[in-house]
Amino acid sequence: MASLFEINEQIEMLTDKLVDEETGEINEEVMAELESLEMDRDDKIEGCGMMMKQLSAEVEAINEEIKALKARATAKANRHDRIGEYVKATLKGKPF
């Protein structure tokens, strides 16, 4: 499938060929192809929008996981410190 850029280029090219310069009549074949390209473009834009929505949800989920991991790391670090203080207090300055 063509990219949005390529589809837009094709639409622009076909738009120039839509009307016969001599007769002023609309070329039905070109019109049909333009309609098809516009539908392709709409589908592509919709797909990009859906992808953006999915990526946004993934970013949000990752950020939530980061918050949870940071909280977990903080809790572990605090536990580490409390155990160290407990041992220090228990030893009352004596070497282990």
Side-chain angles (χ1 to χ4, degrees):
M1 184 174 237
S3 69
L4 276 173
F5 179 76
E6 293 167 338
I7 291 171
N8 285 333
E9 280 185 337
Q10 291 173 2
I11 288 173
E12 188 176 321
M13 183 180 69
L14 288 174
T15 301
D16 293 339
K17 298 178 182 179
L18 182 60
V19 178
D20 187 316
E21 291 181 15
E22 294 177 11
T23 64
E25 294 180 5
I26 293 177
N27 183 326
E28 294 298 324
E29 290 176 11
V30 172
M31 178 63 107
E33 194 170 340
L34 272 172
E35 288 172 355
S36 175
L37 284 170
E38 287 172 352
M39 288 187 338
D40 287 347
R41 181 179 62 185
D42 290 347
D43 289 345
K44 183 74 85 168
I45 290 170
E46 184 178 348
C48 287
M50 289 171 32
M51 183 180 288
M52 288 174 63
K53 186 175 181 179
Q54 176 65 33
L55 289 170
S56 181
E58 288 178 20
V59 166
E60 188 175 327
I62 289 168
N63 285 332
E64 289 301 316
E65 185 66 20
I66 289 169
K67 284 181 195 175
L69 289 171
K70 283 182 178 180
R72 216 171 130 200
T74 299
K76 296 286 183 182
N78 289 341
R79 185 168 185 214
H80 169 272
D81 294 345
R82 283 192 308 271
I83 291 171
E85 291 298 319
Y86 172 73
V87 169
K88 195 180 200 185
T90 302
L91 292 176
K92 297 179 184 174
K94 296 177 186 171
F96 180 63

